[in-house]
Amino acid sequence: MASKKADPQFIYEELLKLFPEAHCELNFSTVYQLAVAVMLSAQTTDVSVNRVTGTLFEKYPDAEAMAQAEQKDVEEIIKSIGLYRNKAANVISMSRKLQEEFSGVIPDDMDKLTSLPGIGRKSANVILSEGYKHPAIAVDTHVHRVSARLGLAKETDTPDQTEMKLRRKFPEENWSKLHHLMIFFGRYKCHSRNPECDDCPFREYCRRKASH
Ligand code: SF4
């Protein structure tokens, strides 16, 4: 196991060189649609979500329309993605609560966001960052794995613990970009299995328990 620690600033700069274009890959036009896309993306690729949201948002563009949807109709549209029954139920419940308690507007606040059905801290962070441009770091499977391999957090940390460690190590103005950089690095280079280590700038610091 490597003992050297990479400086967070070095990590940020190298990630930026690798993926200067890192961005949110979900398609959406409003913060409401972003929230729905994020909910649908759990354990599913963004590409799969984008395949269904065109039709979904055409039929149900906002909370008002979705609050009146029949679950079976939503299921029919999103059935190609994983956990579609639960996701359809959650999207409708979330939209109803949004209508009843927040005038149909996605709230700009962590506690209020996580009071909505189907929205946990990770999803709320994506919504705050992408939808409202607040500094936030959402810890998904890629961010969690990459953080551990780069020695920024431990593999045994919870997503919340990893988030707090990243928040302490990086300046607030870089949080949202860092989130995208780590996702792109995890998605396109530092894969869960068979990562592309040969030309990785972090090889000498890497904690992955395997020979490089
Ligand atoms: S050396 Fe390999 S496993 Fe380690 S951070 Fe780089 S790509 Fe990921």
Coordinates of all heavy atoms in Angstrom, one line a residue, residues 9 12 134-136 167 170-178:
Q9 N -4.5 20.0 -3.5 CA -4.4 21.0 -4.6 C -3.9 20.3 -5.8 O -4.3 20.5 -7.0 CB -3.5 22.1 -4.1 CG -3.4 23.2 -5.2 CD -4.7 24.0 -5.5 OE1 -5.6 24.0 -4.7 NE2 -4.8 24.6 -6.6
Y12 N -6.6 18.2 -7.4 CA -7.6 19.0 -8.1 C -7.0 19.4 -9.4 O -7.7 19.3 -10.5 CB -7.9 20.2 -7.2 CG -9.0 21.0 -7.8 CD1 -10.4 20.7 -7.7 CD2 -8.7 22.2 -8.6 CE1 -11.4 21.4 -8.3 CE2 -9.7 22.9 -9.2 CZ -11.1 22.6 -9.0 OH -12.1 23.3 -9.6
H134 N -25.0 26.3 -5.5 CA -24.4 26.3 -4.1 C -23.2 25.4 -4.1 O -23.2 24.4 -4.8 CB -25.4 25.8 -3.1 CG -26.5 26.8 -2.8 ND1 -27.3 26.7 -1.7 CD2 -27.0 27.8 -3.5 CE1 -28.2 27.6 -1.7 NE2 -28.0 28.3 -2.8
P135 N -22.2 25.8 -3.4 CA -21.0 24.8 -3.3 C -21.5 23.6 -2.5 O -22.1 23.6 -1.5 CB -20.0 25.6 -2.4 CG -20.7 26.8 -1.8 CD -22.0 27.0 -2.6
A136 N -21.3 22.4 -3.2 CA -21.7 21.2 -2.6 C -21.0 20.0 -3.2 O -20.5 20.1 -4.3 CB -23.2 21.0 -2.8
R167 N -14.9 18.2 2.1 CA -15.3 19.6 2.4 C -14.1 20.3 3.2 O -13.9 21.4 3.0 CB -16.6 19.7 3.2 CG -17.8 19.4 2.3 CD -19.0 19.2 3.1 NE -19.5 20.3 3.8 CZ -20.7 21.0 3.5 NH1 -21.4 20.5 2.5 NH2 -21.0 22.0 4.2
F170 N -10.8 20.6 0.6 CA -10.8 21.5 -0.6 C -11.5 22.8 -0.3 O -12.5 22.8 0.4 CB -11.5 20.7 -1.7 CG -10.7 19.5 -2.2 CD1 -10.9 18.3 -1.6 CD2 -9.8 19.6 -3.2 CE1 -10.2 17.2 -2.0 CE2 -9.1 18.5 -3.7 CZ -9.3 17.3 -3.0
P171 N -11.1 23.9 -1.0 CA -11.7 25.2 -0.8 C -13.2 25.1 -1.4 O -13.4 24.5 -2.4 CB -10.9 26.2 -1.5 CG -10.0 25.4 -2.5 CD -9.9 24.0 -1.9
E172 N -14.1 25.8 -0.7 CA -15.5 25.8 -1.0 C -15.7 26.1 -2.5 O -16.6 25.5 -3.1 CB -16.2 26.8 -0.1 CG -17.6 26.6 0.0 CD -18.2 27.5 1.1 OE1 -17.9 27.4 2.2 OE2 -19.1 28.4 0.7
E173 N -15.0 27.0 -3.0 CA -15.3 27.4 -4.4 C -15.0 26.3 -5.4 O -15.4 26.3 -6.6 CB -14.5 28.7 -4.8 CG -13.0 28.6 -4.9 CD -12.3 29.0 -3.6 OE1 -13.0 28.9 -2.5 OE2 -11.1 29.3 -3.6
N174 N -14.2 25.2 -5.0 CA -13.9 24.1 -5.9 C -14.8 22.9 -5.7 O -14.7 21.9 -6.4 CB -12.5 23.7 -5.7 CG -11.5 24.7 -6.2 OD1 -11.9 25.6 -6.8 ND2 -10.2 24.5 -5.8
W175 N -15.7 22.9 -4.7 CA -16.5 21.7 -4.3 C -17.3 21.2 -5.5 O -17.3 20.0 -5.8 CB -17.4 22.0 -3.1 CG -16.7 22.2 -1.8 CD1 -15.4 22.0 -1.6 CD2 -17.3 22.6 -0.6 NE1 -15.1 22.3 -0.3 CE2 -16.3 22.6 0.4 CE3 -18.6 22.9 -0.2 CZ2 -16.5 23.0 1.7 CZ3 -18.9 23.2 1.1 CH2 -17.9 23.3 2.1
S176 N -18.1 22.0 -6.1 CA -19.0 21.5 -7.2 C -18.2 21.0 -8.4 O -18.5 19.9 -8.9 CB -19.9 22.6 -7.6 OG -20.8 23.0 -6.5
K177 N -17.1 21.7 -8.7 CA -16.3 21.2 -9.9 C -15.6 19.9 -9.5 O -15.5 18.9 -10.3 CB -15.3 22.3 -10.3 CG -14.5 21.9 -11.5 CD -15.3 21.9 -12.8 CE -14.4 21.6 -14.0 NZ -15.3 21.6 -15.2
L178 N -15.1 19.8 -8.2 CA -14.5 18.6 -7.7 C -15.4 17.4 -7.9 O -15.0 16.3 -8.3 CB -14.0 18.8 -6.3 CG -13.4 17.6 -5.6 CD1 -12.0 17.3 -6.2 CD2 -13.4 17.7 -4.1

